[in-house]
Amino acid sequence: MTREKIEISTRTPRWKCVESRTDSKRLHYSRFILSPLMKGQADTIGIAMRRALLGEVEGTCITRAKFENAPHEYSSIFGIEESVHEILMNLKEIVLRSDLYGIRDASICARGPGCVTAQDIFLPPSVEIVDTAQHIASLTKPIDLRIELQIERSRGYRMRTPKNDKDGSYPIDAVSMPIRNANYSIHSYGNEKQEILFLEIWTNGSLTPREALYEASRNLIDLFIPFLGAEEQDLNFDLEDNQNGFQGKFTFATPAFFTFSDKLHNLLKKKKKIALKYIFIDQLGLTRRMYNCLKRSNIHTLSDLLNLTHKDLVRMRIHLRVEDIKQILDFLEKHSLIDEPKN
């Protein structure tokens, strides 16, 4: 554990890590301060940062498992101490570290008798296990345990659907929340005209509290970037009452988005022989702002991008500019996915 002396500045606000410790592989803690702040600013920043830490930071987890000879979730498998349901709960707790997007495959192949732990998981490249000692199952007989897994990177908590597949594949609650807890407190000084913000962060080990602070701050900045434009977006809302309450009519100054949609539609009609679902958006050379915008819209691959509808593009128009669309079109033209324009 490390502690540092707190020094109060009277100039531009600065942040500093004043305490840091690692309680276990799956529990990291740090305490940060930001000062000096004018009265009321600490509360504004603290609320936003806590919400961003708990809801905007992404994580990687196991979302599906497929067993052999498992008729239903609560069945028992010969030679295994735990039921299928208990194994699913253990897989839910596995902590992974990765920057990959999309769904990736993994597997478990172990021979009993013995204890199956996280280190028995065969992972795709660039995916790491934070704690290899995490328990999965106990094999009491000399049998083979084979489980096919799906790994996905997302944010927040997504509950599985109660319906199970007939092929022995079962969904797992997606716990894509690397931040275990976040809290803030405020200390006033200088006749209560200035404030210090104390921010505490606990993570599950898939990223450090410092990395979590950086990721949450960057996501907050991306959300406010549209307001920093030199000119107001030319977006007009014309609301009319109808049977559903109201109907929105959107008018844009440029048809670039609809041209973009038409080109994507033509590409799908041509059915070019290319594995579009295996081309991820991080391969397009996009700017960080564009990359984050597409991620927030659940667009992870080129296939997702090509399946956008006019309605999706209208919704994204608030965050993407015409220059951004041109950059995407340039990539598609460069790789011969669409025909080069005549003009």
Side-chain angles (χ1 to χ4, degrees):
M1 182 178 71
T2 61
R3 288 178 180 268
E4 296 187 18
K5 191 176 289 187
I6 300 176
E7 297 179 0
I8 300 176
S9 171
T10 57
R11 293 169 293 180
T12 304
R14 296 180 180 274
W15 72 275
K16 187 176 184 179
C17 180
V18 295
E19 182 179 356
S20 179
R21 66 172 184 264
T22 302
D23 295 332
S24 67
K25 290 183 178 180
R26 287 180 284 160
L27 183 58
H28 293 201
Y29 168 82
S30 289
R31 185 161 62 109
F32 306 89
I33 64 169
L34 178 66
S35 69
L37 297 170
M38 301 300 294
K39 186 174 180 62
Q41 291 180 341
D43 199 40
T44 301
I45 298 174
I47 293 174
M49 285 302 302
R50 186 175 186 275
R51 292 182 65 90
L53 285 165
L54 296 176
E56 297 293 329
V57 179
E58 297 183 337
T60 304
C61 62
I62 300 173
T63 58
R64 183 171 287 273
K66 182 178 181 180
F67 296 80
E68 294 181 350
N69 302 322
H72 57 83
E73 180 180 340
Y74 296 96
S75 62
S76 299
I77 302 177
F78 174 77
I80 302 179
E81 185 175 316
E82 293 84 0
S83 66
V84 173
H85 176 75
E86 291 172 329
I87 295 176
L88 292 175
M89 293 300 100
N90 292 335
L91 291 173
K92 175 182 174 180
E93 299 297 326
I94 301 295
V95 179
L96 302 174
R97 179 185 178 96
S98 172
D99 292 328
L100 298 178
Y101 288 93
I103 299 176
R104 302 302 172 93
D105 295 327
S107 62
I108 297 176
C109 186
R111 176 73 178 176
C115 183
V116 180
T117 62
Q119 68 178 354
D120 296 308
I121 302 177
F122 295 92
L123 296 168
S126 303
V127 180
E128 303 175 5
I129 298 175
V130 173
D131 186 2
T132 57
Q134 285 186 261
H135 179 77
I136 297 177
S138 298
L139 306 184
T140 59
K141 302 291 182 180
I143 63 170
D144 292 327
L145 175 64
R146 293 185 177 87
I147 307 176
E148 297 178 13
L149 305 174
Q150 282 187 354
I151 296 174
E152 187 175 353
R153 182 177 175 85
S154 184
R155 69 179 64 178
Y157 185 90
R158 186 175 70 250
M159 293 187 65
R160 58 180 178 165
T161 56
K163 183 179 179 180
N164 297 328
D165 295 341
K166 297 180 180 180
D167 61 351
S169 176
Y170 302 96
I172 301 175
D173 292 343
V175 187
S176 306
M177 301 172 63
I179 312 302
R180 301 186 66 171
N181 195 14
N183 192 22
Y184 75 95
S185 58
I186 302 171
H187 173 71
S188 300
Y189 68 97
N191 293 329
E192 298 189 353
K193 292 183 179 180
Q194 291 183 303
E195 298 175 335
I196 302 176
L197 174 65
F198 290 84
L199 186 63
E200 297 178 289
I201 303 174
W202 292 262
T203 71
N204 64 359
S206 62
L207 74 173
T208 65
R210 190 184 295 263
E211 292 172 335
L213 183 65
Y214 172 80
E215 184 71 17
S217 302
R218 188 179 64 182
N219 289 339
L220 274 179
I221 292 172
D222 290 339
L223 290 175
F224 287 102
I225 279 180
F227 295 104
L228 301 179
E231 296 181 359
E232 180 182 356
Q233 294 281 355
D234 190 8
L235 175 63
N236 298 322
F237 295 92
D238 216 355
L239 302 181
E240 295 180 357
D241 294 334
N242 65 1
Q243 59 183 356
N244 295 325
F246 67 88
Q247 178 181 5
K249 292 185 177 180
F250 303 89
T251 305
F252 297 104
T254 172
F257 265 73
F258 300 106
T259 303
F260 177 58
S261 178
D262 292 338
K263 289 191 176 185
L264 298 186
H265 179 69
N266 293 334
L267 173 59
L268 289 177
K269 289 175 60 177
K270 291 182 180 180
K271 298 181 180 178
K272 300 233 176 183
K273 296 181 179 180
I274 183 170
L276 300 176
K277 65 178 181 179
Y278 296 113
I279 301 180
F280 291 85
I281 60 173
D282 53 4
Q283 300 174 253
L284 305 184
L286 305 176
T287 63
R288 172 59 61 180
R289 185 182 58 79
M290 292 175 59
Y291 179 70
N292 289 333
C293 174
L294 293 176
K295 282 199 307 177
R296 284 196 296 269
S297 301
N298 292 322
I299 298 172
H300 305 296
T301 67
L302 189 55
S303 178
D304 297 334
L305 186 63
L306 299 178
N307 285 322
L308 289 176
T309 64
H310 276 61
K311 185 177 180 180
D312 297 328
L313 293 171
V314 168
R315 188 181 299 112
M316 294 173 59
R317 175 67 175 88
I318 300 175
H319 301 288
L320 291 181
R321 299 190 297 258
V322 177
E323 299 81 21
D324 302 332
I325 299 303
K326 185 178 183 301
Q327 182 177 350
I328 297 175
L329 290 175
D330 289 343
F331 176 88
L332 298 176
E333 292 169 358
K334 179 180 178 181
H335 293 79
S336 301
L337 296 177
I338 60 176
D339 298 328
E340 295 185 1
K342 296 181 179 179
N343 295 327

